[in-house]
Amino acid sequence: MPSKNADKELAVGEFDFVVVANRLPVDIQYQDDGSFTWQQSPGGLVTAMEPVMRSNHGAWVGWTGGTGDAPDPFDTDGMRLAPVELSEEEVTDYYEGFSNATLWPLYHDVIVPAEFHRHWWDTYQKVNERFAQAAAQQAAYGALVWVHDYQLQLVPQYLRKLRPDVKIGYFHHIPFPPVELFSQLPWRTQIVSGLLGADLVGFQRPGDARNFLRSVRRLTGQPTRGSVVHLNERFTNMPRQVRATAFPISIDSAAFDDRARQPEVQERARQIREELGNPEIIFLGVDRLDYTKGILHRLKSYGELLTEGTLAPPQCVLVQVASPSREGVEQYQLLRDEIEVTVGRLNGDYSELGHPAVHYLHHSYDHDEMTALYLAADVMLVTSLRDGMNLVAKEYIASRIDENGVLILSEFTGAADELRHAMMINPHDYEGNKEAMVRATEMPAREARRRMRALRRRVMENDVAKWAERFIDTLKTHPSPMHTSAEQSEEA
Ligand code: F6P
């Protein structure tokens, strides 16, 4: 650890708590004259971070979502926002390319093939370095820096080099694959080394942490004991420990619960049912339009039930919200075409005039409308083929203040670890999906209520604020490198 004087030569900033994420928690709209306006984006992460940011004098480093010159750092709602600039080419190679066409499929069981391109990797390194520099500029001496997600896996290592005085946490929001899959990545050792720049590496599930620890042993030869990696002189000239463990993320549960109690939202839920023709059963799917979500598996299962006559519109209806996502990436374009052809066929075959079998909505909605949809839906379908957590499942539960509604949940979501009272499915098993959908429609009210009550207890107790608190407390108490090496020499 350098002395405070030595730090004078480093670019030391003024913030004690710095979040580094691919995106800033605001949407910036650029005007033709180059000026901009912005609106806070209502994500769960920003809700969790807000109180920590305020009480800790916080800064958030991230991309605006646009290209070209980024605005200078500015203050909003008690926090400093520090935009990171990306050129058009960098958005293609770093965001759409390496992050979302290499890492995303590789970390989600290679549902579609992962593409490996050396120039994408070069840009990923360059952009990660830029994020690390921006974080170093904002962080005060000894600050806590919390890096988020797969787009920024090299930031911990780069940042440690620039600022050995700060404590670095990293949270991985998506699955971490088994080493057998991860090993396909030509730059696997560099990625693992990037993450090992952190003091604490958090994952959604214990299985993700185990996968990471196995990759560390296999690819770096560094020893692990329980959830701790003991980095020795063969890896670093400053031996230290890295903890890798699970911190399952959650939502701002009280906010969904509160919204669901608003008379306007309840009225909107009634209106939605009416607009759908007051069917007996409303199935609901809410996803980013992503191949990991199993939307086609869901449509096929529903379609077969219609073909067999087990379910018959207009007594039942499926509402599928598929919000636009990563539209510059080819696999997302292909998936959109396939989903839209499938929905078109189902509607052609099974709709009646004014009563489509599937309501397909390629939009994003605000929290009020989403809560009303959750309240209106009898059966929520979460059929992901692989999902770090799946917060939609938790949002549905937090919105069901009436303790009604049935959640069908893929066992391949992180949420499945916690939400044991949902109806679990393997989305690849079409017969199992169909059986679950039929059982959900026939479930006795008492059983549905018993399950929903247990699910609500879980989600209301473990909210996103608790998640952030657990992570930050663990990071704060992590031994600093000096402490670690002293301990080790005492042990010796
Ligand atoms: O779940 C991973 C994640 O990157 C989230 O952090 C983000 O909200 C979501 O996917 C959407 O991703 P993007 O920023 O690519 O639109």
Side-chain angles (χ1 to χ4, degrees), residues 322-341:
S323 51
S325 184
R326 304 174 186 165
E327 292 182 291
V329 180
E330 192 191 3
Q331 288 293 348
Y332 288 73
Q333 296 159 2
L334 294 173
L335 177 71
R336 181 175 174 190
D337 289 347
E338 218 179 326
I339 288 175
E340 293 181 356
V341 165

Side-chain angles (χ1 to χ4, degrees), residues 213-238:
L213 289 164
R214 268 187 75 212
S215 287
V216 168
R217 288 192 297 271
R218 182 85 67 90
L219 299 169
T220 70
Q222 291 292 293
T224 64
R225 206 174 306 141
S227 61
V228 177
V229 185
H230 294 264
L231 294 178
N232 58 35
E233 292 82 357
R234 276 193 313 219
F235 187 86
T236 169
N237 50 20
M238 176 94 64

Side-chain angles (χ1 to χ4, degrees), residues 320-383:
Q320 176 63 56
V321 177
S323 51
S325 184
R326 304 174 186 165
E327 292 182 291
V329 180
E330 192 191 3
Q331 288 293 348
Y332 288 73
Q333 296 159 2
L334 294 173
L335 177 71
R336 181 175 174 190
D337 289 347
E338 218 179 326
I339 288 175
E340 293 181 356
V341 165
T342 309
V343 169
R345 287 222 175 107
L346 284 176
N347 277 337
D349 287 345
Y350 300 108
S351 299
E352 287 183 4
L353 205 60
H355 297 285
V358 184
H359 286 254
Y360 167 73
L361 305 157
H362 186 241
H363 308 293
S364 299
Y365 293 98
D366 64 19
H367 279 324
D368 279 358
E369 183 70 1
M370 286 314 308
T371 309
L373 266 170
Y374 291 141
L375 267 178
D378 303 293
V379 181
M380 183 79 215
L381 299 170
V382 177
T383 57

Side-chain angles (χ1 to χ4, degrees), residues 24-27 39-50 60 79 249-252 255-256 259 367 391 395 464:
L24 284 174
V26 290
D27 293 324
Q39 259 192 340
Q40 190 140 335
S41 52
L45 192 58
V46 65
T47 318
M49 292 300 139
E50 237 176 22
W60 189 307
M79 61 174 133
I249 199 170
S250 192
I251 56 165
D252 186 358
F256 277 90
R259 258 193 303 275
H367 279 324
L391 295 178
E395 290 176 4
V464 71

